[in-house]
Amino acid sequence: MASRKSSRAAGGSPSPGSKRETKHGGSKNGKKEGLSGSSFFTWFMVIALLGVWTSVAVVWFELVDYEEVLGKLGIYDADGDGDFDVEDAKVLLGLKERSVPAQPTPPESEETLQAAEKSYVESGERHEDVDASISDQWQVKEEIHGETFEAPTTDDMHRELENEIPEAYETPDSIQKDADLLADGLEAVESEPYEVPASDDYVVSMEGRVSDPEAPGDSEVVLEDAREHYTEPKHEKQTETQDTAIHDLPEEVNEATEPDKITEDFDVAKDVSVESKQSEDDVAIEPEESEIPVQAEDYSNDVRVGKSEKETEQDKTEKAKKKKPKLLNKFDKTIKAELDAAEKLRKKGKVEEALRAFEALVNRYPQSPRARYGKAQSEDDLAEKMRSNEMLQQAINTYDEVVSLPNVPSDLIKLSLKREADRQQFLGRMRGSLVTLQKLVQLFPSDTSFKNDLGVGYLLIGDNSNAKKVYEEVLSLAPNDGFAKVHYGFILKAENKIAESIPYLQEGLESGDPGTDDGRFYFHLGDALQRMGDKEAYKWYELGYQRGHFASVWQRSLYNVKGLKAQPWWTARETGYTELVKSLEKNWKLIRDEGLAVMDIKSSLFLPEDENLREKGDWSQFTLWQQGRKNENACKSVPKTCSLLERFPEATGCRRGQIKYSIMHPGTHVWPHTGPTNCRLRMHLGLVIPKEGCRIRCAQENRAWEEGKVLIFDDSFEHEVWQDAEDYRLIFIVDVWHPELTAQQRRTLPAI
């Protein structure tokens, strides 16, 4: 028995110990073996894949902020090369002496800042007027006009190579002296309010620009359709909240803005303050872009809008100018980590923290141009956030300080001055902006884009003569500059040189250059062709419609609220203003008799139409209300008529219309034209109507007036008038708000 047990233990079933040994790598004979080749490879792959996915996760989910780490390591930069490397470690370990970069010392012991604010005198609110041209302020659009120098973004600055030290630009003494003399001269003029010359000048929209609070606001205007002026085309967003004004701005500034999107309706705007393509970080306090999308890609073959496939020298020049901007001088390179940290705060929308960071940098490094530019940008952003004109003016001053520092890179000078001019125009400081633009042209005389901006600056103050000279100079240097062409063509048309204006407008639009795809230029080219009897006019109107500049081929107003009912002719019931219509028709003889009495006065109060709308003839008007403002002196001559109208705020409160008598004599023809806005409807009450020979066309339908009856039409549609009777025609015109506008919109829409 003992021998059996012994043999079983020795050679029978294995013991628990031997089982465990075999399980954990031992062989049946009791000897241990290492890992097999396949097991080793499997574990190696598992570990390798874990490492790869861990690395991917760190990068993808940004578990480590490398910029922050590098920024922190930057404080250990001991040799002044802008980063932490082996040489810095040697210094920290005492193996090498510390070398400190030499900071440029200011000429004086204390920081020298630019003198206090310039004395700006704004052009003020210039509305439509028979006697004076409009100089309302025109907002910049994000699609910037005539820009061959593209404003670089701060992302480009961040990607700038460390080993590429930018050329520092020092303003030559002679040029700086000239600029100072120019500034002194213009500022001296600005001590008095500027009067816009009485001519068909550049008209700037009130919408989208902050008007001058101190500018005279009682200028009465009598304008049926401001069409020969350089008006800012745009669509107003149909919203309950129209205000885009900064907190302390006047009521006229409207249209809500989106913080990261700066654009303007139809033009200028998307709007020509400074015609530069704004970077995403140059957020302006400007109106929204038109709600009607531009569909350029679908119609590029219609009239050769856009470039030919063959690359021109101008294209190459533009590409060369799109290189990375050089915003850091030698010293700023050494503090790049600190600059980047402050800029990162600004880019993340932490405006107050960014401003504090840049202010600290300016205090530590008063001669750092990039730090001061960052401070200006932060103040600019904060002005938008606070809706504060005061803060925006502070930003303007800081932009100006950047240029006064030594060793400023030329790209940074360009960005600072362009943004300064843009913000000055936004505040209505047109003459101050002109000084800035003059300085840009003097510093960079070969850059035609700055000359284009300067031409716009002259137009904004009503100086068509100097604007014309500027564009002639641009075209002599760059004959194919589309932006200069459309503006030069516009000026020629304003001078009534219709035939001469057509090739400039047409070639400029066909160029496809930035700033040319603008509703105003389609409008004026079509209008010029119509006056020359050329049916090509409607081809351009059609293209303007397709590109989103017009509501339709027939409805070509440029200051619109989207979504309003649009039809050429209306009935009283459709408008909802039946009581007003009944009152006018019931009292038509009273209105007629008071109007005839005014006509009999030797020193007639009727003023000739002065908008270049007549092909021939005699057409005059006597205005009682303009832009919602009552003309008290005029109403003294027709007191019963004015008293009658006081009951109807839809008419007397219509700040985009007029109430007036209109007399037209035999032999008069009024060119086809459109009103400026779709926000109003126009009523014509017949007072003295010849039996035959007088008619009006709106869109494609002709109608005639009747004494004592009201015609209602939407004058944003093309309309035309013939007076071929044997005697004069007298009507009474009453503009009313479009019935679909809300009460909020009626209160806040800016006047036209």
Side-chain angles (χ1 to χ4, degrees):
M1 291 291 290
S3 62
R4 287 182 186 174
K5 289 181 181 179
S6 174
S7 63
R8 182 176 293 182
S13 53
S15 66
S18 64
K19 284 184 181 180
R20 284 194 297 269
E21 188 178 5
T22 303
K23 183 178 181 181
H24 292 286
S27 63
K28 291 180 181 180
N29 59 11
K31 294 182 180 179
K32 262 190 179 179
E33 292 182 356
L35 289 173
S36 67
S38 60
S39 298
F40 179 85
F41 179 78
T42 300
W43 281 107
F44 175 82
M45 289 303 296
V46 169
I47 295 170
L49 288 173
L50 284 174
V52 170
W53 285 111
T54 301
S55 302
V56 171
V58 168
V59 175
W60 184 262
F61 297 106
E62 296 182 355
L63 300 179
V64 177
D65 189 337
Y66 290 104
E67 290 186 15
E68 183 178 353
V69 171
L70 292 175
K72 291 179 178 178
L73 288 175
I75 65 174
Y76 299 108
D77 177 20
D79 58 2
D81 62 356
D83 60 6
F84 179 75
D85 52 21
V86 175
E87 297 301 320
D88 299 313
K90 290 180 180 179
V91 173
L92 295 173
L93 293 172
L95 302 177
K96 184 179 177 181
E97 292 186 1
R98 177 185 297 268
S99 61
V100 180
Q103 177 180 337
T105 56
E108 298 176 2
S109 58
E110 297 181 358
E111 177 182 0
T112 304
L113 298 177
Q114 188 99 5
E117 302 177 4
K118 295 180 182 177
S119 173
Y120 297 105
V121 175
E122 301 82 328
S123 58
E125 300 175 14
R126 307 286 181 185
H127 305 294
E128 307 169 86
D129 199 348
V130 172
D131 296 317
S133 70
I134 306 175
S135 181
D136 297 10
Q137 299 146 354
W138 184 24
Q139 160 72 17
V140 175
K141 160 185 179 183
E142 193 173 51
E143 172 193 334
I144 309 301
H145 303 288
E147 184 54 45
T148 54
F149 172 79
E150 184 169 0
T153 65
T154 50
D155 288 337
D156 293 331
M157 178 195 73
H158 290 158
R159 294 193 299 267
E160 184 180 319
L161 298 176
E162 278 291 321
N163 60 351
E164 186 179 38
I165 299 177
E167 269 185 33
Y169 184 91
E170 292 190 67
T171 305
D173 292 338
S174 59
I175 293 180
Q176 185 63 50
K177 184 176 181 181
D178 292 341
D180 293 339
L181 288 173
L182 174 65
D184 293 339
L186 279 174
E187 288 171 9
V189 176
E190 291 174 3
S191 59
E192 299 177 0
Y194 178 79
E195 291 295 328
V196 178
S199 61
D200 264 338
D201 288 337
Y202 198 80
V203 178
V204 183
S205 166
M206 282 294 300
E207 307 169 55
R209 186 169 301 286
V210 181
S211 60
D212 174 18
E214 299 175 1
D218 54 357
S219 57
E220 293 298 330
V221 281
V222 181
L223 221 170
E224 181 158 347
D225 300 290
R227 283 298 153 218
E228 285 307 304
H229 306 286
Y230 194 42
T231 51
E232 158 84 48
K234 66 179 79 173
H235 278 264
E236 289 130 4
K237 187 173 182 181
Q238 184 181 10
T239 60
E240 286 300 313
T241 305
Q242 296 279 340
D243 288 336
T244 183
I246 300 181
H247 177 71
D248 52 341
L249 308 184
E251 177 183 294
E252 284 78 2
V253 182
N254 295 279
E255 308 189 24
T257 55
E258 299 176 11
D260 294 324
K261 185 176 181 181
I262 314 117
T263 47
E264 181 181 90
D265 300 355
F266 281 174
D267 134 60
V268 167
K270 310 226 139 322
D271 357 338
V272 182
S273 318
V274 171
E275 313 301 337
S276 62
K277 290 195 174 180
Q278 291 178 311
S279 59
E280 58 175 321
D281 52 318
D282 288 339
V283 179
I285 314 164
E286 300 168 1
E288 277 190 326
E289 191 170 2
S290 161
E291 292 83 19
I292 301 180
V294 177
Q295 303 171 3
E297 66 278 11
D298 296 331
Y299 312 103
S300 57
N301 295 324
D302 290 356
V303 283
R304 201 187 70 78
V305 175
K307 302 280 187 179
S308 62
E309 293 182 4
K310 185 177 180 181
E311 187 178 50
T312 63
E313 290 188 8
Q314 185 176 354
D315 295 327
K316 294 177 182 177
T317 303
E318 289 179 0
K319 285 185 177 180
K321 292 190 176 184
K322 291 180 181 178
K323 294 189 302 183
K324 291 180 182 178
K326 297 180 179 181
L327 305 182
L328 305 181
N329 63 16
K330 291 181 180 180
F331 173 72
D332 281 341
K333 282 277 190 176
T334 67
I335 59 169
K336 186 176 183 298
E338 297 174 77
L339 291 168
D340 287 350
E343 181 64 20
K344 186 175 181 180
L345 291 172
R346 195 180 73 83
K347 295 285 284 184
K348 286 185 175 180
K350 300 178 180 179
V351 183
E352 292 87 350
E353 293 180 45
L355 180 56
R356 287 195 294 270
F358 277 116
E359 284 176 339
L361 288 173
V362 168
N363 290 333
R364 290 171 59 190
Y365 314 112
Q367 298 302 303
S368 166
R370 182 61 186 88
R372 201 169 296 267
Y373 180 70
K375 177 175 179 283
Q377 286 184 304
S378 300
E379 291 168 341
D380 202 340
D381 294 345
L382 189 58
E384 179 191 7
K385 183 177 181 179
M386 295 172 59
R387 301 281 193 242
S388 168
N389 278 350
E390 183 179 354
M391 178 57 69
L392 187 55
Q393 183 59 55
Q394 188 172 327
I396 290 171
N397 295 340
T398 308
Y399 282 124
D400 198 60
E401 291 170 5
V402 173
V403 184
S404 68
L405 296 174
N407 303 317
V408 185
S410 59
D411 285 348
L412 193 57
I413 289 178
K414 292 177 182 180
L415 286 179
S416 297
L417 290 178
K418 284 169 71 68
R419 187 61 178 172
E420 179 184 352
D422 173 83
R423 300 295 77 196
Q424 287 171 321
Q425 289 182 7
F426 183 81
L427 283 180
R429 315 289 202 249
M430 299 303 172
R431 298 187 66 78
S433 174
L434 190 62
V435 174
T436 305
L437 293 171
Q438 284 276 19
K439 187 185 297 185
L440 262 174
V441 169
Q442 291 182 16
L443 292 174
F444 307 100
S446 62
D447 194 327
T448 55
S449 71
F450 297 146
K451 288 184 170 66
N452 280 332
D453 294 343
L454 179 61
V456 170
Y458 280 121
L459 288 171
L460 287 172
I461 65 170
D463 191 349
N464 283 23
S465 177
N466 273 321
K468 186 177 181 181
K469 292 176 183 177
V470 169
Y471 290 122
E472 286 173 343
E473 182 181 354
V474 172
L475 291 173
S476 68
L477 297 172
N480 296 320
D481 190 309
F483 182 81
K485 282 186 175 182
V486 289
H487 284 80
Y488 189 68
F490 169 81
I491 295 170
L492 289 175
K493 186 171 181 290
E495 295 175 346
N496 212 28
K497 297 177 180 178
I498 306 299
E500 293 179 46
S501 71
I502 291 174
Y504 287 100
L505 288 166
Q506 183 169 331
E507 291 171 15
L509 281 171
E510 289 176 346
S511 73
D513 286 350
T516 59
D517 186 22
D518 184 313
R520 291 164 303 159
F521 303 128
Y522 288 95
F523 178 93
H524 284 293
L525 175 57
D527 185 59
L529 290 168
Q530 273 186 307
R531 296 189 183 199
M532 297 301 295
D534 192 333
K535 297 298 183 182
E536 286 284 301
Y538 287 96
K539 175 182 177 181
W540 287 96
Y541 290 148
E542 175 69 25
L543 185 60
Y545 160 63
Q546 291 173 347
R547 289 185 172 276
H549 300 306
F550 306 137
S552 73
V553 173
W554 296 104
Q555 189 181 23
R556 301 190 299 273
S557 54
L558 296 174
Y559 301 86
N560 300 325
V561 167
K562 185 181 178 182
L564 298 181
K565 182 178 180 179
Q567 61 188 43
W569 295 98
W570 290 65
T571 65
R573 184 180 298 274
E574 286 175 321
T575 67
Y577 301 134
T578 53
E579 291 301 316
L580 171 58
V581 173
K582 288 178 182 178
S583 181
L584 291 173
E585 293 183 342
K586 179 181 179 181
N587 296 281
W588 76 274
K589 291 184 178 179
L590 179 153
I591 298 171
R592 178 198 63 188
D593 293 344
E594 286 196 329
L596 291 174
V598 172
M599 286 174 57
D600 290 338
I601 300 174
K602 290 184 178 179
S603 57
S604 177
L605 299 177
F606 280 79
L607 300 174
E609 178 274 328
D610 192 24
E611 303 165 43
N612 196 21
L613 296 176
R614 286 170 291 160
E615 178 189 11
K616 58 182 180 178
D618 186 353
W619 175 24
S620 299
Q621 300 168 347
F622 173 48
T623 302
L624 308 180
W625 268 268
Q626 173 73 33
Q627 297 176 334
R629 297 176 182 175
K630 182 179 180 181
N631 186 330
E632 298 290 350
N633 290 331
C635 280
K636 289 178 182 178
S637 301
V638 287
K640 294 180 181 178
T641 298
C642 289
S643 178
L644 178 72
L645 290 165
E646 294 280 9
R647 298 167 39 215
F648 302 101
E650 62 266 31
T652 58
C654 180
R655 294 184 299 109
R656 293 198 160 191
Q658 304 92 39
I659 300 176
K660 58 191 176 184
Y661 289 90
S662 174
I663 184 170
M664 190 174 289
H665 293 277
T668 300
H669 173 233
V670 178
W671 292 111
H673 62 286
T674 62
T677 178
N678 73 340
C679 295
R680 74 188 186 198
L681 301 178
R682 177 155 284 187
M683 297 182 178
H684 280 190
L685 172 65
L687 300 178
V688 178
I689 308 298
K691 291 184 179 180
E692 294 180 353
C694 294
R695 70 187 189 278
I696 178 173
R697 173 183 66 84
C698 186
Q700 296 172 290
E701 183 180 350
N702 289 343
R703 294 196 182 182
W705 297 273
E706 295 180 44
E707 292 184 355
K709 298 296 181 181
V710 171
L711 284 178
I712 308 174
F713 66 101
D714 184 338
D715 76 325
S716 64
F717 285 81
E718 178 181 293
H719 53 287
E720 183 177 10
V721 177
W722 297 265
Q723 216 289 40
D724 298 322
E726 296 180 354
D727 204 352
Y728 68 85
R729 179 224 68 178
L730 179 66
I731 63 173
F732 190 59
I733 298 175
V734 179
D735 289 335
V736 293
W737 285 117
H738 192 290
E740 292 183 356
L741 288 174
T742 66
Q744 171 73 5
Q745 288 170 324
R746 298 182 191 199
R747 286 194 302 270
T748 59
L749 283 170
I752 294 180

